[in-house]
Amino acid sequence: MEKIRVLSVFGTRPEAIKMAPVVMELEKNKDDFESIVCITAQHREMLDQVLNLFNIKPDFDLNIMKHNQDLWTLTSDVLLQMKEVFEKTQPHIVLVHGDTTTTLATSLSAFYAKIPIGHVEAGLRTFNKYYPFPEEINRVVADSVASLYFPPTQQSVENLLRENIPENRIYLTGNTVIDALLYTVNNNKSDLADLNLDKNLKTILLTSHRRENFGAPLENICSAIKILVEKNPDIQVIYPVHLNPNVRKTVFGMLDNIDRIKLIEPLDYAPFANLIKQSYIILTDSGGIQEEAPSLGKPVFVLREETERPEAVEFGTVKLVGSNTDKIVNSVQEILDSKEKYDQMASATNPYGDGLAAPRIIQAIKENRDFLIKNKN
Ligand code: UD1
Ligand code: UDP
């Protein structure tokens, strides 16, 4: 029987973390699948960290990252280069993930080639085209051209149904980030000794990199951190700073060389997952960390005005605080001052998955074998 030829395409750190379980699962099912991996390398160092951890050796590496790249160049580079990869590989299905420019341009390129697309982490929405920017539109476009949908939660299923996506193409799988997190936490014992964290202090883990936070919002976030550290001698802040130069300029300009604020380079995923576990509170505008931290029972303050991940907000583990300095300070101070309020936020919840999303995705692709091999969209 002809194997289903699956081309998995990703380009950034979070896509790689969340696609790694799918690639590993495809490799385990060699009788049914031929697995081909193409990385655009929209990210370079931060992507390579993940490839090493999961031992993924790509068949194609487009190596497109440029310093301080813009969306136009990035989009057109991926769009064009993927055309050649499709011609060489003739896949039955292209798997894309989430909402990056790699996702958008690969989806569009596959659509032009009339190759069916499977969208992992489909259906997330804020319904605001500028929050997050450009990710909201990236995922809307990916969903409008996809043929198979792998949304992580019931709410994301409902978003797709509202857009008239046929129900028989939608598979509720959970988020593969939980597969990746459990695999990493169980298979890697990474100790954090190198970070020299003070064990007597409460650790606040901070990350911020969203484009809509560049400039004044990120400055407000940094101001809030300074105030919190001044007010609370029992806390320390650790911030693995994203490699985007727009982030680094502001963050190093405002938070470098301050007592109890540690700016470090992006961490490998295994120590980072461990650092989440050891932290007291998380402040982030990341998508993935909003999904990981609740499952490890950590309160999360989201430095965004809107989230496409409302599930843990509804449960109470995650609070949206945006980028207003006072709001961030007051919200964090509230749970620093009250153990009761802290405990209310810190109960573990896992609305995003059970660690078995990747096998469900593989099973769904198998069920669509005839449709994919005959390629009748
Ligand atoms: C991208 C995604 C965003 C995702 C984020 C995850 C888009 C438009 N944005 O944002 O959705 O949340 O990745 O981290 O798809 N850089 C390096 N080395 C790296 C990675 C980045 O030097 O390994 C620097 C480069 O100068 C690069 C810049 O960061 O030009 C921006 O990278 P880009 O992928 O365009 O944007 P991100 O902010 O990383
Ligand atoms: N992460 C990591 N090292 C770090 C910071 C984050 O491995 O120094 C992981 C994190 O656990 C999560 C993913 O990277 O799985 C999130 O990536 P990012 O915040 O860059 O992107 P987003 O999820 O917002 O698209």
Side-chain angles (χ1 to χ4, degrees):
M1 204 163 52
E2 189 178 0
K3 293 184 187 188
I4 309 174
R5 207 158 38 256
V6 182
L7 174 63
S8 305
V9 185
F10 44 92
T12 65
R13 168 174 69 190
E15 291 167 84
I17 291 170
K18 291 168 164 185
M19 284 300 283
V22 177
V23 171
M24 291 194 293
E25 200 61 28
L26 285 167
E27 288 295 329
K28 274 197 231 154
N29 286 270
K30 277 194 160 66
D31 288 347
D32 293 297
F33 296 102
E34 182 188 342
S35 170
I36 307 166
V37 173
C38 172
I39 54 167
T40 63
Q42 170 177 340
H43 283 176
R44 189 70 272 172
E45 304 90 319
M46 286 162 60
L47 176 72
D48 293 343
Q49 286 182 326
V50 184
L51 299 178
N52 291 340
L53 175 68
F54 290 99
N55 200 18
I56 294 175
K57 300 198 175 13
D59 302 284
F60 296 85
D61 181 347
L62 306 184
N63 199 24
I64 58 171
M65 194 192 84
K66 298 186 177 77
H67 181 72
N68 206 8
Q69 59 208 3
D70 65 49
L71 296 174
W72 293 268
T73 319
L74 193 54
T75 305
S76 51
D77 283 352
V78 176
L79 187 73
L80 270 175
Q81 293 199 41
M82 282 313 303
K83 175 174 182 272
E84 284 173 35
V85 178
F86 297 147
E87 282 164 2
K88 282 188 190 139
T89 54
Q90 304 283 321
H92 295 122
I93 180 169
V94 176
L95 291 183
V96 296
H97 180 278
D99 53 22
T100 68
T101 296
T102 289
T103 316
L104 166 87
T106 302
S107 301
L108 207 52
S109 199
F111 171 65
Y112 291 161
K114 298 218 170 101
I115 301 166
I117 297 155
H119 189 195
V120 180
E121 200 181 82
L124 274 63
R125 298 285 184 272
T126 59
F127 304 101
N128 182 335
K129 67 174 89 145
Y130 292 112
Y131 287 92
F133 173 83
E135 290 83 358
E136 177 73 0
I137 293 304
N138 290 349
R139 57 195 172 216
V140 168
V141 173
D143 281 335
S144 68
V145 294
S147 295
L148 293 181
Y149 299 81
F150 307 114
T153 64
Q154 189 55 37
Q155 298 214 27
S156 43
V157 171
E158 279 156 26
N159 290 339
L160 293 169
L161 291 173
R162 244 179 270 124
E163 290 169 18
N164 297 320
I165 305 293
E167 201 169 354
N168 65 343
R169 297 277 183 238
I170 302 177
Y171 295 84
L172 172 59
T173 58
N175 199 311
T176 55
V177 76
I178 306 296
D179 304 29
L181 182 67
L182 298 181
Y183 173 89
T184 303
V185 171
N186 293 335
N187 289 290
N188 296 277
K189 297 271 164 284
S190 58
D191 83 80
L192 299 173
D194 289 354
L195 299 182
N196 288 320
L197 288 170
D198 185 333
K199 290 204 169 59
N200 299 315
L201 301 177
K202 289 174 181 154
T203 299
I204 297 192
L205 171 59
L206 167 66
T207 80
S208 179
H209 73 274
R210 300 240 81 84
R211 273 178 161 71
E212 62 276 13
N213 277 340
F214 291 171
L218 187 53
E219 287 165 22
N220 297 342
I221 291 166
C222 292
S223 300
I225 295 301
K226 272 188 182 169
I227 296 170
L228 281 165
V229 166
E230 274 161 27
K231 277 172 80 162
N232 298 279
D234 60 337
I235 68 168
Q236 61 192 335
V237 172
I238 181 150
Y239 184 172
V241 187
H242 195 287
L243 295 182
N244 192 317
N246 300 288
V247 175
R248 295 176 85 80
K249 195 173 60 184
T250 304
V251 171
F252 282 97
M254 289 184 67
L255 298 181
D256 207 10
N257 291 319
I258 297 179
D259 195 29
R260 287 182 288 113
I261 299 181
K262 220 178 250 292
L263 303 181
I264 59 169
E265 293 305 308
L267 278 175
D268 283 358
Y269 186 52
F272 189 80
N274 208 358
L275 182 57
I276 297 181
K277 265 171 74 180
Q278 296 199 14
S279 298
Y280 191 66
I281 295 172
I282 321 275
L283 270 70
T284 190
D285 63 11
S286 160
I289 299 169
Q290 281 180 68
E291 295 155 343
E292 292 161 341
S295 76
L296 298 174
K298 301 298 170 180
V300 182
F301 292 94
V302 175
L303 306 166
R304 294 165 62 170
E305 309 302 330
E306 319 230 15
T307 183
E308 60 292 274
R309 295 167 169 89
E311 295 83 0
V313 178
E314 280 156 24
F315 193 84
T317 317
V318 168
K319 274 198 182 125
L320 278 185
V321 290
S323 58
N324 177 289
T325 304
D326 291 342
K327 188 162 179 193
I328 297 169
V329 171
N330 294 338
S331 308
V332 176
Q333 194 64 49
E334 194 176 34
I335 69 163
L336 283 173
D337 290 342
S338 161
K339 183 77 174 78
E340 198 188 332
K341 287 192 174 140
Y342 177 87
D343 289 341
Q344 276 168 15
M345 269 189 94
S347 46
T349 174
N350 210 335
Y352 298 112
D354 57 2
L356 296 171
R360 288 191 191 99
I361 290 168
I362 287 345
Q363 181 56 32
I365 299 173
K366 249 197 250 183
E367 282 171 24
N368 284 277
R369 190 173 188 287
D370 289 348
F371 159 66
L372 295 172
I373 289 190
K374 288 180 195 139
N375 188 4
K376 293 216 171 69
N377 279 290

